[in-house]
Amino acid sequence: MEKLKLETFDAVTGNIGKIAELFPQCVTEHMKDGKVVRGIDFEKLKAELSNDVIEEGEERYQFTWPEKRKAAHLANTSTTMTLRPCPEESVDFDNTENLYIEGDNLEVLKCLRETYLGKVKMIYIDPPYNTGNDFVYNDDFAQSREDFEQQSGLFDEEGNQTIDPMQRNLESNGRFHTDWLNMMYPRLKVARDLLTDDGVIFISIDDREVENVKKITEELFGNRNFLAQIVWERAYSPINLMKHFSPSHDFILCYAKDIEKALCNGIPRSEEANNRYSNPDNDPRGVWKSSDLSVGPAVQENIYQITTPSGRIVEPPAGRSWSLSKKAFFERLQDNRIWFGPNGDNVPSMKRFLSELRKTGVTPMTIWKYTEVDHSQGATQKLAALFDGKKYFDYPKPVALIERCIQLYTNSGDIILDFFSGSSTTAHAVMKLNAEDGGNRTYIMVQVPEKTEENSDAYQAGYENICEIAKERIRRAGKKIKAESPLTTQNLDTGFRVLKLDSSNMADVYYQPNDISNADLFSLADNLKADRTSNDLLFQVMLSLGIELSAKIESKSVNGKEVFIMNDGFLYACFDKDGNESVITEIAKAKPVYFVMRDASAATDNVIDNFDQLFANYSPDTVCKII
C-alpha cells in the first residue's frame, strides 16, 4: 500500500512531462537530494531549437521588472496547505455544487490546480487597482514556502490562520509597480492552467495598471488570444472637484485560452432587435433583414452589371464592388436570397435570415454603457438595499456587468471562478443568470478574509472580515432571487460550501520524517494534528486524488467505523482508529477505484499484514493509499 502524497503537484514536473512528449531525447536522469529524478538536458534541447535560441545578453522584446523570475517560480511550486470544510457557515452543504473559499488566493489556486486543471470555463477577477491605498498580497520571494507559511501572518504558532496576508502598496513605496506585478503574475499564471481549452478570462482594471496587466496577460496567454479591451461606463456624471479630468470608465480585458476554440454566445437578442426582421415576400425560411451587397475598396473582378426584375441595370457605387463574385451572386439569386425591393427595381441586397444566424445573440461591442450594464453608484445602492440600506462595500461591480460577461462565454454546466471575489458579485450574477435561463452554472469564489475596520458600519454590525459580508450577501441574494420567481427557481442552487485555507492536516513528521529526532517519535505516534477531523482529512484527500470539492459525500457505518463514499464508489475512505479485518473486507467487497486509510486506522499489525491479501482476493484493481 502506497503512502498518499498530501501535497499539490509541482508545475515544473508537469512542464518536464510536456517537453518529454515533444523531445523525449532531451529527458535524462540525475541525482537530487540523494534520489534519482528526471530532468532536462538543456544542451540537447538547445540543439533541437538551435535556429530560434536567443543567447544570453542578446537583444529581444520583453517586459520585465525586479524579481519577475521569482514570481514565475512561485507559481510553479507545490503547496502542502489544505482546504478545511466549514459546514456550519455553509448553505445546503450536502447538496450544493458552489464553493466559497477563504484564504490567500495564490495558495488556494495551487490547491485547486490539480483537481480543476482544464475544468473552469470562465474566470472573472476584479483585482486591487493599485491606487496607492489598495492592498496587495504579501508574497515574500526571499522566503521558502515553509517560512512563508510560518512568517507571513497567515498562521500562528499553533497553525491557526490569523487572517492578514495583505499589505498596503503605497505610492511612496519605491517598489510600487513591482510589488503589484509580483502579486498579479503568479496568480494569473496558475489561473490559466485551470481554464478549459475554450475558456476565457475577464480582468477589470483602471488606467493605472491596464498596460501592465495587458503585457503580463499577453505573455501568459499569448497576444493572439486577445479578445477585447472593453470600456465600461462606470460613472454617469462628472466629479467637478477633479483638477483636470473626471474619469468615467474602467476597462475589462478579455483573453481566450485558445481563440480558435472559444465561442461567443453573443448578447441575448432583445425584442427590439428581433423586430428589425420581417418577411415581406413570405419566404418559408422565416423573417429576415437585408444587408448591403457592396463592399469597399473595390475588387475588380466583382464589378459587374446586375439587371433588376424591373429591367433596370445597376452597378456598385463608385470605389466599391459587389461582395459576391458573379457566380456566387447568381447562385444566391436562384436560392431567393437576393432582394430587389417590393417593386423589383431597387439596388440588390442580401437577405439575412434570423434562423440562420451563427449565434443566437447579438455580437457585443467594446463600449458597455451604464444604461445596459449599470454603473458603480447603482451597484452600491442595490447592494446596500440587500442589507437594509447599510453600505458595507465601496464601488462593487454591478451584477448586470458580470452577468453579461458570464452570458457571453458560458453555458449550463460550466464553472465560473473569481479569485478576487470581494463582495461576491460574481456569485450573485451566476445565480441570477441561472434563474433567468434555467442553467446550472456553478461558481468558485476565493477571497482573503481581510479584516473590517473597527469603526466601520460592517464591524459594528458583527462582520469582522469581508468574507462574512460576502457570504451573507450570497445568502440574501439567493433568497431574493427565489422569492421573485418562485415557480421557475425551485431547483435553483443558491447554496455554497465554505472551505478555509489552512496548513496541512498532517504533522511535520509526515513531510520531513528525517527532521524528527528519536526523542520526538513517541509524541508523534499519531501524524494527524490534534485539532483536525475526519472531514478535514477527507477534503485534503479529495484534492490529492483530483476529486472536485463539490462532489457528493456519503457516510455510513461499517462494523462501527465511519466510512466515506464519494462519486458512486470511486473513493472509499476510513480514518477511524482500530479498524479490523472485517472493516477492510467489507470495503474491499465494494470494489472502489481508490481506498484511503490512516496508518493509525489499523487495530493491530495483523490487520496491516492481511490488508494486501484481502484486497487481492476481493478487489485487486483498487488503488490503496495510506496517510
Side-chain angles (χ1 to χ4, degrees), residues 329-380:
F329 171 81
F330 281 103
E331 287 175 349
R332 282 158 180 76
L333 184 63
Q334 287 294 110
D335 194 30
N336 192 26
R337 291 178 180 270
I338 303 298
W339 175 245
F340 292 96
N343 298 322
D345 60 354
N346 288 1
V347 174
S349 58
M350 179 79 75
K351 293 164 67 173
R352 305 288 184 186
F353 292 93
L354 182 62
S355 61
E356 294 178 353
L357 292 178
R358 185 178 64 86
K359 54 193 174 194
T360 57
V362 178
T363 300
M365 299 180 73
T366 54
I367 296 179
W368 292 3
K369 298 181 179 297
Y370 74 82
T371 52
E372 302 170 1
V373 294
D374 208 354
H375 46 65
S376 291
Q377 185 176 345
T380 302

Side-chain angles (χ1 to χ4, degrees), residues 22-178:
L22 296 173
F23 306 105
Q25 69 276 20
C26 299
V27 179
T28 185
E29 295 178 345
H30 66 113
M31 294 296 294
K32 183 178 180 181
D33 300 329
K35 297 179 181 179
V36 177
V37 296
R38 272 202 322 177
I40 299 296
D41 187 328
F42 273 97
E43 290 302 317
K44 286 186 177 180
L45 184 59
K46 188 175 178 180
E48 292 291 337
L49 305 172
S50 57
N51 291 338
D52 297 303
V53 171
I54 300 175
E55 299 294 340
E56 186 70 27
E58 186 178 345
E59 290 183 353
R60 73 202 70 181
Y61 175 80
Q62 61 180 334
F63 176 54
T64 190
W65 61 88
E67 297 175 335
K68 178 182 179 181
R69 288 185 181 181
K70 291 180 180 178
H73 175 72
L74 188 62
N76 289 335
T77 57
S78 60
T79 182
T80 60
M81 298 177 78
T82 189
L83 300 175
R84 299 177 66 185
C86 190
E88 62 275 15
E89 296 181 22
S90 305
V91 174
D92 198 16
F93 183 90
D94 292 333
N95 300 305
T96 185
E97 295 184 38
N98 300 314
L99 302 176
Y100 187 94
I101 305 175
E102 298 182 25
D104 175 273
N105 53 12
L106 179 57
E107 294 300 311
V108 171
L109 288 170
K110 289 181 184 181
C111 287
L112 298 177
R113 178 157 50 187
E114 198 161 0
T115 299
Y116 289 90
L117 190 71
K119 292 183 178 180
V120 173
K121 184 62 176 295
M122 192 198 105
I123 297 172
Y124 171 82
I125 56 171
D126 182 17
Y129 278 10
N130 208 19
T131 61
N133 294 307
D134 286 319
F135 283 91
V136 294
Y137 289 63
N138 187 13
D139 303 324
D140 189 339
F141 300 109
Q143 296 178 318
S144 67
R145 184 184 71 245
E146 292 78 14
D147 289 339
F148 170 73
E149 291 177 4
Q150 293 172 10
Q151 299 176 25
S152 66
L154 275 173
F155 303 97
D156 59 23
E157 293 178 355
E158 298 177 352
N160 298 312
Q161 192 167 353
T162 56
I163 316 179
D164 193 12
M166 307 180 81
Q167 62 181 4
R168 286 196 183 276
N169 193 32
L170 301 176
E171 254 183 307
S172 57
N173 172 16
R175 295 165 51 93
F176 183 68
H177 291 290
T178 291

